[in-house]
């Protein structure tokens, strides 16, 4: 009976250590006092600036394509 309790305690300690390591790894890039929000934005218009003058001759991709 004592062996079962010891095994359960060891498994619990390992699980807690792994959970703490995952939490630390997933939050290591956040600055203290910052709020991180995640989601999607629907953008219909964007202002772009280019280093050269002229007009766009052709568009080689469609909306939603990965570039």
């Amino acid at each position: 009976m004592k062996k079962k309790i010891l095994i359960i305690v060891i498994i619990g300690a390992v699980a807690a250590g792994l959970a703490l390591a995952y939490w630390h790894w997933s939050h290591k890039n956040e600055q203290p006092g910052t709020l991180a929000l995640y989601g999607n934005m629907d953008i219909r218009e964007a202002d772009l600036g280019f280093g050269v003058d002229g007009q766009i001759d052709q568009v080689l991709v469609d909306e939603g394509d990965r570039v």
Side-chain angles (χ1 to χ4, degrees):
M1 185 69 176
K2 289 183 180 182
K3 284 186 179 184
K4 285 185 178 181
I5 293 174
L6 181 62
I7 290 172
I8 291 172
V9 169
I10 291 172
I11 290 172
V14 169
L18 290 173
L20 181 62
Y22 174 76
W23 179 85
H24 176 71
W25 175 79
S26 66
H27 291 86
K28 70 179 179 180
N29 291 330
E30 293 180 11
Q31 299 295 323
T34 60
L35 175 64
L37 300 174
Y38 302 94
N40 295 324
M41 293 178 55
D42 187 16
I43 298 175
R44 298 284 181 195
E45 186 175 318
D47 294 324
L48 302 174
F50 299 95
V52 295
D53 292 333
Q55 293 184 341
I56 296 174
D57 184 41
Q58 60 182 331
V59 179
L60 302 175
V61 295
D62 292 322
E63 181 179 345
D65 286 352
R66 186 172 271 231
V67 294

